[in-house]
Amino acid sequence: MAAADFQTGVIPEGFAFDQDGNAIDLTKMVVVLPPPANSGLGWGSVWFSVGADFGDVRLRVATFVNGAWAIEFWDVPRVGNRVTKTLPTNVQKISVGRAKKTGTDLANNAPVSWLLEAALQ
C-alpha cells in the first residue's frame, strides 16, 4: 500500500452564495491548496472530500485547473457518506463555500468539514 498524507479543516458558518450561485459574503469561503496531483513531483492521486452533520448542506466547490475555474455544486447529506472527488492533474486551488439550496434554506450553521488526501509516489 502506498503512503499518503492528509489535511483537514472546516467550512465557515454562514452562506457565501445565494440559491442562484451569486456571491453573498466571500468571508464565508475557504481556499484549499492541494499538492500537484500525478505531477511527477512525488505526489500521486489527490482527493478532496466534504462531510456534514445536523443538516444537509449545499456547497459551491470551484477548482482552478489550467488557468480556468470549474464550478460545481455539491449536496452534502448529514446522513450518508462524505462526498469525494478525485482531483485532476494541474489543479492549483479549490474554493469552497456554503450555497443556499432555496431562498428559505436555513442550513447555514450545520457543521461541515473538508479533507484533502494525497498519495505519495
Side-chain angles (χ1 to χ4, degrees), residues 49-53 56-57 74-84 113:
S49 303
V50 290
D53 195 5
D56 297 334
V57 177
W74 295 6
D75 289 322
V76 184
R78 72 174 185 85
V79 177
N81 296 335
R82 63 185 181 212
V83 177
T84 302
S113 292

Side-chain angles (χ1 to χ4, degrees), residues 19-35:
Q19 66 276 11
D20 297 320
N22 300 309
I24 297 173
D25 184 352
L26 297 181
T27 66
K28 306 301 182 189
M29 299 285 300
V30 64
V31 177
V32 179
L33 304 177

Side-chain angles (χ1 to χ4, degrees), residues 26-96:
L26 297 181
T27 66
K28 306 301 182 189
M29 299 285 300
V30 64
V31 177
V32 179
L33 304 177
N38 302 307
S39 63
L41 298 174
W43 298 102
S45 295
V46 179
W47 302 270
F48 186 70
S49 303
V50 290
D53 195 5
F54 296 99
D56 297 334
V57 177
R58 175 166 288 166
L59 298 176
R60 177 194 178 271
V61 181
T63 53
F64 191 77
V65 182
N66 295 323
W69 286 103
I71 299 170
E72 299 177 350
F73 289 87
W74 295 6
D75 289 322
V76 184
R78 72 174 185 85
V79 177
N81 296 335
R82 63 185 181 212
V83 177
T84 302
K85 179 177 179 176
T86 302
L87 297 179
T89 300
N90 297 326
V91 66
Q92 293 293 307
K93 52 191 167 183
I94 306 162
S95 73
V96 185

